[in-house]
């Protein structure tokens, strides 16, 4: 596995490493070093050497630095002289680090050079403006042309595409819906071509729908549909070649679509935010009595639970979580 070092002037590398690990969880063979105002080139080089020495394997190392020509870059560049398999990429931003970790996670045999090549475009694509027309004209033209190219003709109703059955690569309960952990962790792992947020309330909220569309990674379309529409989509043979990642806000909506015939066999339980009257079953799952009862009903229907925030997390014990939640709810009633 490629070892990754983030290096910067000041605390930038520390902050970006913390942000990345919020999305991916704790990472091994991953280090961050900084150059403080009272330090010089030898100090940052010593920190890089120490970080690399802590890796399980020093054969493949990727150094991501903040500024081309700056002291962290110069010292990282010097390390390459005796290590031709290593690579340095300057202009570090969070999309670059996210893509590096994604590449390493999805392809453990990738080399430092291969990952270095793969992270440049996502780093550039992470720079966008709102309104979109504030982007330089050349970039705006490319975006406009891509949107035109991506337009598709409507498939006539009743047409059978592929085997006529939509494929659900993941069904996830997450009150935050499409956010960083989904965009940078689950989507690269599960490879959907479409993300579908299933929510009656969000489907009526144009601002939230717009934010969800814009949060989708390049190459993946994001849609928000009410529950009734999701049930129709699941039965529509025109989606036979679609690989969808479903996002639900709560277990009740999952139960509704399953009872209506949507073929979901496993539910990833990621995050349920706290509301008044809930109890904290763990640090990311808050439930009320209806939630607990719904999970038990799903289990009776044969649904399996995969309790993980991100793909690299160790799977949680849903029975233990539900038992704790029930105990806290019982205590709350006294």
């Amino acid at each position: 596995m490629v070892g990754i070092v983030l290096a910067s002037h000041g605390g930038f590398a520390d902050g970006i490493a913390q942000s990345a690990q919020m999305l991916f969880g704790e990472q091994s063979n991953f280090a961050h070093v900084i150059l403080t105002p009272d330090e010089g080139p030898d100090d940052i080089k010593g920190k890089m050497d120490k970080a690399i020495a802590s890796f399980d394997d020093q054969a493949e190392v990727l150094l991501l630095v903040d500024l081309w020509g700056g002291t962290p870059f110069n010292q990282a560049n010097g390390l390459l002289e005796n290590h031709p398999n290593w690579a340095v990429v300057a202009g570090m931003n969070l999309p670059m680090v996210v893509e590096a970790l994604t590449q390493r996670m999805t392809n453990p045999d990738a080399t430092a050079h291969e990952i270095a090549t793969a992270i440049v475009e996502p780093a550039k694509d992470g720079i966008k403006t709102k309104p979109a027309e504030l982007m330089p004209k050349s970039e705006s033209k490319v975006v406009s042309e891509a949107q035109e190219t991506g337009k598709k003709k409507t498939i006539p109703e009743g047409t059978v595409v592929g085997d006529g059955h939509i494929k659900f690569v993941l069904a996830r309960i997450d009150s935050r819906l499409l956010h960083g952990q989904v965009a940078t962790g689950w989507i690269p792992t599960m490879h959907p071509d479409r993300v579908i947020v299933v929510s009656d309330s969000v489907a009526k909220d144009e601002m939230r729908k717009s934010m969800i569309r814009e949060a989708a990674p390049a190459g993946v379309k994001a849609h928000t549909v009410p529950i009734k529409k999701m049930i129709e989509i699941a039965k529509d043979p025109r989606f036979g070649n679609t690989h969808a990642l479903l996002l639900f806000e709560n277990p009740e909506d999952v139960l509704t679509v399953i009872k209506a015939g949507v073929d979901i066999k496993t539910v990833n339980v990621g995050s349920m935010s706290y509301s008044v009257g809930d109890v904290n079953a763990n640090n990311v799952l808050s439930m009320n009595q209806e939630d607990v009862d719904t999970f038990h009903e799903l289990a009776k229907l044969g649904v399996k639970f995969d309790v993980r925030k991100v793909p690299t997390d160790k799977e949680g014990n849903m029975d233990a979580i539900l038992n704790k939640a029930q105990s806290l709810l019982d205590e709350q009633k006294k």
Side-chain angles (χ1 to χ4, degrees):
M1 176 184 286
V2 174
I4 299 175
V5 180
L6 314 184
S8 72
H9 297 80
F12 179 51
D14 291 345
I16 209 165
Q18 182 183 37
S19 297
Q21 291 188 114
M22 283 182 65
L23 300 173
F24 282 87
E26 197 71 24
Q27 294 290 305
S28 60
N29 299 302
F30 179 67
H32 43 102
V33 299
I34 65 170
L35 176 68
T36 62
D38 59 334
E39 293 178 329
D42 290 340
D43 297 296
I44 191 68
K45 181 180 182 298
K47 292 178 182 180
M48 290 178 181
D49 287 336
K50 183 177 179 180
I52 294 168
S54 72
F55 294 161
D56 296 334
D57 183 0
Q58 291 84 41
E60 296 280 349
V61 175
L62 176 63
L63 298 108
L64 307 182
V65 301
D66 56 352
L67 185 65
W68 184 276
T71 299
F73 169 82
N74 292 335
Q75 296 308 307
N77 191 40
L79 295 175
L80 262 61
E81 293 181 5
N82 298 318
H83 300 91
N85 290 338
W86 295 7
V88 178
V89 181
M92 177 173 60
N93 61 11
L94 185 55
M96 175 191 290
V97 177
V98 163
E99 184 62 23
L101 293 174
T102 300
Q103 289 285 330
R104 193 175 72 165
M105 178 178 67
T106 56
N107 183 11
D109 295 326
T111 66
H113 286 188
E114 289 170 340
I115 295 179
T117 300
I119 66 178
V120 173
E121 285 303 320
K124 292 193 293 184
D125 290 343
I127 303 172
K128 298 179 181 178
T129 64
K130 191 75 173 181
E133 54 266 26
L134 298 180
M135 288 290 285
K137 290 183 179 179
S138 59
E139 296 293 335
S140 299
K141 183 179 179 182
V142 170
V143 171
S144 177
E145 290 175 350
Q147 290 172 341
E148 290 296 323
T149 303
K151 290 181 179 178
K152 294 184 178 180
K153 295 180 180 179
T154 302
I155 301 173
E157 190 173 346
T159 302
V160 178
V161 176
D163 63 3
H165 300 285
I166 189 170
K167 315 301 183 299
F168 300 124
V169 300
L170 184 76
R172 176 178 171 90
I173 296 172
D174 191 330
S175 54
R176 293 175 294 173
L177 298 173
L178 181 49
H179 61 102
Q181 290 175 348
V182 176
T184 62
W186 289 106
I187 289 177
T189 300
M190 306 309 296
H191 306 293
D193 49 52
R194 196 177 301 263
V195 172
I196 305 176
V197 171
V198 185
S199 168
D200 287 344
S201 59
V202 181
K204 298 174 184 177
D205 189 329
E206 290 302 322
M207 179 174 291
R208 290 188 71 186
K209 286 167 64 177
S210 176
M211 291 173 65
I212 286 167
R213 283 195 302 269
E214 294 178 5
V220 178
K221 294 183 178 180
H223 308 271
T224 303
V225 300
I227 293 171
K228 182 180 178 181
K229 182 65 175 177
M230 184 65 244
I231 295 167
E232 293 173 359
I233 290 171
K235 299 175 181 178
D236 193 327
R238 290 175 293 181
F239 291 92
N241 283 341
T242 298
H243 294 77
L245 187 155
L246 305 184
L247 294 172
F248 297 87
E249 292 181 287
N250 55 66
E252 291 75 29
D253 289 349
V254 177
L255 180 61
T256 299
V257 300
I258 289 178
K259 282 186 170 181
V262 179
D263 187 22
I264 297 173
K265 293 181 171 60
T266 301
V267 175
N268 170 237
V269 184
S271 140
M272 295 171 62
S273 60
Y274 179 84
S275 296
V276 176
D278 287 354
V279 295
N280 295 316
N282 64 18
N283 62 333
V284 294
L285 297 175
S286 298
M287 303 180 190
N288 57 32
Q289 188 64 59
E290 184 182 10
D291 296 327
V292 173
D293 293 343
T294 301
F295 279 120
H296 284 306
E297 189 169 354
L298 286 167
K300 288 178 182 177
L301 293 174
V303 175
K304 305 298 182 184
F305 301 115
D306 171 19
V307 186
R308 287 184 293 169
K309 291 185 297 181
V310 294
T312 52
D313 279 350
K314 182 180 179 181
E315 190 172 334
N317 186 320
M318 193 62 178
D319 288 337
I321 290 170
L322 292 176
N323 287 340
K324 179 180 178 182
Q326 187 62 64
S327 176
L328 291 170
L329 287 165
D330 291 343
E331 186 68 27
Q332 189 181 74
K333 294 173 185 176
K334 293 179 181 179

